[in-house]
Amino acid sequence: MTAAPASDAPPTRAELIGDAALDLLVERGMRGLTHRAVDERAGLPQGSTSNHARTRQALLEAAVRRQVQREADVLAPHELPAADAGPDALVDALALALHRYLTDHRALLVSRYELALEATRRPELRSFFDSAGAVFHGPLIAMMAAAGSPSPERHALSLIAWSEGLMFSCAAGSFHAAVPSRAELRTGFDELLRGMLGGSPGRSPGGERG
């Protein structure tokens, strides 16, 4: 199950509903996500989820909203380096976030894949899903620009695509039984960034000997 991050404050009803929806997506898939099932999983009186999200579209949006909140907790924005901190700091941060996903939050990846696939069949959800996920793109583009990328948007997309592919392979694909170590992930990001930024072999993205 997708355990919610620890917090001193009790979860709100919206958070309870969102967490229950994500758990159901992981365990039963999209067909198992119903208002009644969410009420039961969240331990709420029947009708509570319908009052919060009356339509299925509204329920899916509530799940996406909670997905984004939970992913922000995993990514831990306060741990991201400043845009001008340099490529080495960016590599460290990306390796940490990816390793955290693959070791402690695999279920959160599965719920994201369920929502992303559903968005391909629901144009109204596609727009909501894309706008919600876009909040993570800006900081990465800024860091790529500060690192000296001649095409920060394209390079940010390549980093995201590489990360997404690796996460899918390790969470749901043929490499699900083999999670790379944090050091291995760092090496992968280092190689990718050196290729993008024109670093020579044997050097870190910042230009120092590795």
Side-chain angles (χ1 to χ4, degrees):
M1 293 172 61
T2 54
S7 173
D8 293 333
T12 65
R13 177 159 294 197
E15 290 170 342
L16 286 172
I17 289 172
D19 287 336
L22 297 182
D23 283 344
L24 289 167
L25 287 173
V26 172
E27 294 180 13
R28 306 179 190 177
M30 194 58 64
R31 290 187 178 182
L33 179 62
T34 66
H35 289 77
R36 179 183 293 274
V38 171
D39 283 339
E40 292 173 354
R41 174 55 59 91
L44 296 171
Q46 286 295 323
S48 297
T49 301
S50 292
N51 288 335
H52 176 76
R54 189 161 299 279
T55 65
R56 183 163 183 80
Q57 172 68 18
L59 179 57
L60 289 168
E61 290 181 2
V64 171
R65 192 176 296 110
R66 187 58 174 153
Q67 178 82 26
V68 171
Q69 292 171 344
R70 297 272 294 276
E71 292 199 23
D73 288 333
V74 175
L75 289 172
H78 67 276
E79 293 178 348
L80 290 175
D84 59 354
D88 284 332
L90 176 58
V91 166
D92 287 336
L94 292 174
L96 172 62
L98 202 58
H99 189 257
R100 187 179 289 155
Y101 261 121
L102 294 175
T103 53
D104 298 325
H105 300 279
R106 285 196 184 196
L108 197 58
L109 291 172
V110 175
S111 59
R112 185 210 295 180
Y113 300 146
E114 289 284 350
L115 290 166
L117 287 172
E118 186 67 9
T120 67
R121 303 186 272 280
R122 289 175 173 263
E124 66 278 14
L125 183 62
R126 176 84 273 166
S127 176
F128 188 85
F129 186 91
D130 289 350
S131 62
V135 299
F136 300 114
H137 298 169
L140 184 55
I141 292 172
M143 283 187 279
M144 290 303 299
S149 166
S151 184
E153 291 189 8
R154 179 168 57 82
H155 285 160
L157 172 60
S158 294
L159 273 177
I160 292 170
W162 187 85
S163 301
E164 290 280 5
L166 188 63
M167 287 190 290
F168 181 86
S169 294
C170 293
S174 57
F175 287 91
H176 66 91
V179 176
S181 68
R182 185 172 166 185
E184 290 171 327
L185 292 171
R186 193 193 188 287
T187 297
F189 278 118
D190 181 80
E191 292 170 341
L192 192 59
L193 274 177
R194 279 192 288 123
M196 292 176 179
L197 302 178
S200 59
R203 293 179 181 271
S204 72
E208 299 177 356
R209 287 283 176 184

